[in-house]
Amino acid sequence: MSFVAVNAEQAGDWNGASGREFIEQRERHERMLGRLRARLLAAAQVQDGESVLDIGPGCGEMTILAARAAGSGHAVGADLSRILVAEASRLAAAGVANVRFEVADAQVHPFGAGSFDVVLSSFGVMFFDDAAAFANFRRALRRGGRLAFLCWRTREENPVFTTGFAGAAAALGLREMPGPGAAFSLADTGRAGALLRGAGFGGIEFAKADEPMLIGRDVDDVLEYERASPTATEVLAGLGPAQAAELTGQVRDRLAAYASPDGVIMPGAAWLVAAQAA
């Protein structure tokens, strides 16, 4: 299948190392984000018979939940990662008939105008950094249709993004702390609201969604998860054995601060955004 990807960097990343890691850690991410996704589904208020578009569905868990809520309706997941779409389709094949997944860059994909009642996204829309993407989502919605999505608040409010190898390496002076990156592009509600209004949405509401995230069963489990990430691989590749050992010890100490008898649990801080197609 061929498709147009305007965001070539993201397409390369999610068809490569990040996409593979996402598949390998699917069950962990499902546990981490389950509470937040439940809040998104409730906010979307999907009704029987409705059509739903899920932007950046990853392995498809949210799309499948939306399809079940839609009953006699259907849900479509659009993702620019071929490998994630393949995994989502595999998981959906085990008994969810009213869902399908497309390889598509949702920023420019020609969805049928007004063909959806609901557009939702679980941490997928932060990677679209201009109004054109949101205007495309608006075109896909019928007038009065609903948009609901989760996006991260600031990096500082989400220790899962700062306790790993990149943050520890910066603390030890081994490298500079990387910028917040695309994952936090909508953390500023002023900017996000302006994007949505410019794209033709009204009734825009931002609600704080704060939920605990179970990162892993214990510090060793989460340390291995962190060590296997593409970011950690890159950081460790440039270090000698002594520096790598020191860095790993620093990450272990950081994770220990969040350890409990129930596992390593960190706060998750997101915006739950709702809007209507004006």
Side-chain angles (χ1 to χ4, degrees):
M1 177 186 289
S2 63
F3 75 108
V4 176
V6 171
N7 200 331
E9 182 180 349
Q10 290 292 339
D13 191 26
W14 288 103
N15 278 292
S18 289
R20 290 192 296 272
E21 186 210 14
F22 213 74
I23 292 169
E24 290 166 4
Q25 299 293 340
R26 178 182 65 80
E27 292 182 358
R28 184 189 302 272
H29 294 157
E30 201 168 352
R31 289 192 298 271
M32 286 170 57
L33 299 176
R35 289 173 178 262
L36 288 165
R37 285 175 171 161
R39 291 183 64 168
L40 173 60
L41 188 64
Q45 297 181 324
V46 178
Q47 306 296 311
D48 181 63
E50 288 191 319
S51 55
V52 183
L53 173 63
D54 185 8
I55 304 295
C59 294
E61 295 92 347
M62 194 72 225
T63 326
I64 290 169
L65 290 173
R68 288 177 173 146
S72 61
H74 69 280
V76 177
D79 202 293
L80 48 64
S81 171
R82 290 183 175 87
I83 59 176
L84 290 176
V85 164
E87 177 68 2
S89 299
R90 183 187 71 81
L91 293 170
V96 188
N98 63 334
V99 65
R100 64 183 171 84
F101 296 91
E102 296 181 359
V103 181
D105 185 337
Q107 180 170 337
V108 295
H109 186 74
F111 300 109
S115 56
F116 293 96
D117 300 294
V118 183
V119 171
L120 56 77
S121 180
S122 173
F123 302 105
V125 296
M126 302 97 63
F127 303 103
F128 302 108
D129 58 2
D130 62 25
F134 288 93
N136 200 38
F137 307 157
R138 165 63 190 87
R139 281 191 292 272
L141 277 169
R142 62 168 174 78
R143 184 175 293 275
R146 307 182 302 284
L147 172 71
F149 65 84
L150 286 165
C151 62
W152 296 114
R153 299 208 308 270
T154 63
R155 180 168 61 180
E156 291 71 28
E157 293 174 275
N158 287 283
V160 70
F161 293 102
T162 59
T163 53
F165 280 81
L172 291 173
L174 298 174
R175 62 183 282 168
E176 289 190 9
M177 188 69 179
F184 303 95
S185 69
L186 299 178
D188 180 345
T189 57
R191 179 178 182 275
L195 275 176
L196 291 169
R197 287 190 297 274
F201 288 97
I204 303 163
E205 297 180 356
F206 292 85
K208 284 188 173 182
D210 295 274
E211 295 289 351
M213 300 195 304
L214 175 62
I215 313 300
R217 63 181 179 272
D218 55 32
V219 169
D220 286 338
D221 175 46
V222 180
L223 185 63
E224 287 308 306
Y225 165 57
E226 291 285 353
R227 200 201 314 265
S229 72
T231 300
T233 301
E234 178 194 345
V235 171
L236 290 166
L239 302 180
Q243 284 182 318
E246 181 185 13
L247 178 59
T248 301
Q250 174 89 340
V251 175
R252 180 184 292 278
D253 290 344
R254 287 165 162 245
L255 295 175
Y258 298 96
S260 76
D262 297 319
V264 177
I265 299 173
M266 297 183 186
W271 289 117
L272 178 53
V273 186
Q276 281 193 324

